[in-house]
């Protein structure tokens, strides 16, 4: 059936009396058809951290679901071979490559807060972004955003100094930052 918009109501659509709801119908009341807006949900998940998980196929299978994998940059987990394979799989599946930066804490998997000075943290994060960028470029990919990992993610919610260091490194790379709403990092990134 052909829909026509009523001039008197900005969101009302009318249907002919004999029409039936279509596949895009959310609700039909007295000849009105409300169409569902097509929402896009960007789902992210951590990737490239565990050789065992990669070998099991779990990470690869997850790439069929997520649209923005947060690829480990090697500071807290992963290695160049695993990170490169993850980037290649992202390119093959046409999903974004996000840099998951973290504290250089392999023993604690990036989950232990570290007291790093502004310049040291800025340089660490910038180095991780650049490193992933090189690995991604080698497989015809590119880093499209940054999402901090573990303790760093939580620390920059409230720590202004560390948040400023991360924001500076991310802005210098020309990338968007993913973070917790209301956090110091997102406030400084604006």
């Amino acid at each position: 059936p052909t829909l026509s918009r009523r001039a008197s109501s900005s969101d009302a659509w009318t249907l002919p009396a004999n029409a039936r709801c279509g596949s895009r119908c959310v609700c039909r009341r007295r000849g009105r058809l409300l169409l569902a807006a097509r929402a896009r949900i960007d789902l992210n998940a951590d990737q490239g951290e565990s050789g065992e998980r990669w070998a099991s196929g779990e990470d690869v299978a997850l790439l069929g679901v997520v649209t923005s994998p947060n690829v480990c940059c090697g500071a807290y987990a992963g290695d160049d071979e695993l990170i490169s394979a993850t980037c290649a799989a992202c390119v093959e599946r046409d999903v974004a490559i996000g840099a998951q930066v973290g504290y250089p804490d392999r023993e604690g998997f990036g989950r232990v807060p570290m007291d790093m000075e502004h310049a040291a943290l800025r340089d660490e994060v910038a180095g991780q972004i650049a490193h992933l960028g090189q690995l991604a470029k080698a497989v015809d990919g590119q880093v499209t955003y940054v999402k901090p990992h573990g303790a760093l993610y939580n620390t920059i919610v409230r720590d202004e100094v560390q948040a400023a260091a991360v924001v500076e490194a991310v802005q210098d790379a020309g990338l968007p930052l993913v973070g917790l709403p209301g956090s110091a990092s997102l406030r400084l990134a604006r």
Side-chain angles (χ1 to χ4, degrees):
T2 303
L3 295 174
S4 61
R5 191 170 190 103
R6 273 199 269 173
S8 61
S9 177
S10 63
D11 290 333
W13 292 83
T14 59
L15 281 173
N18 63 349
R20 296 182 183 253
C21 291
S23 63
R24 293 173 34 185
C25 179
V26 173
C27 175
R28 183 174 164 212
R29 293 189 190 121
R30 299 182 191 213
R32 288 187 181 181
L33 175 68
L34 304 175
L35 299 175
R38 290 199 172 200
R40 181 176 186 272
I41 297 173
D42 185 27
L43 183 62
N44 74 56
D46 300 351
Q47 298 274 289
E49 297 173 327
S50 165
E52 293 88 28
R53 199 168 63 207
W54 184 264
S56 75
E58 292 174 25
D59 269 4
V60 178
L62 198 54
L63 286 174
V65 178
V66 300
T67 49
S68 298
N70 311 315
V71 181
C72 176
C73 295
Y76 63 88
D79 59 38
D80 286 358
E81 184 179 341
L82 176 59
I83 296 166
S84 294
T86 303
C87 288
C90 290
V91 169
E92 182 180 304
R93 288 160 181 78
D94 196 29
V95 295
I97 298 173
Q100 185 153 50
V101 298
Y103 289 125
D105 168 36
R106 294 185 75 82
E107 187 176 315
F109 195 68
R111 294 185 177 141
V112 178
M114 297 179 78
D115 186 22
M116 295 181 73
E117 295 198 16
H118 177 92
L121 182 57
R122 179 197 61 225
D123 293 348
E124 176 67 34
V125 170
Q128 290 180 40
I129 295 168
H131 182 70
L132 181 64
Q134 291 170 349
L135 295 175
K137 186 176 181 180
V139 295
D140 295 323
Q142 73 177 49
V143 176
T144 58
Y145 69 93
V146 177
K147 181 177 184 245
H149 169 77
L152 180 58
Y153 182 89
N154 291 321
T155 299
I156 64 174
V157 168
R158 64 193 177 291
D159 186 309
E160 298 277 336
V161 173
Q162 289 201 13
V166 171
V167 167
E168 191 175 317
V170 172
Q171 287 179 339
D172 286 351
L175 296 169
L177 174 66
V178 176
L180 190 66
S183 64
S185 58
L186 292 188
R187 186 173 23 76
L188 293 171
R190 291 197 170 136

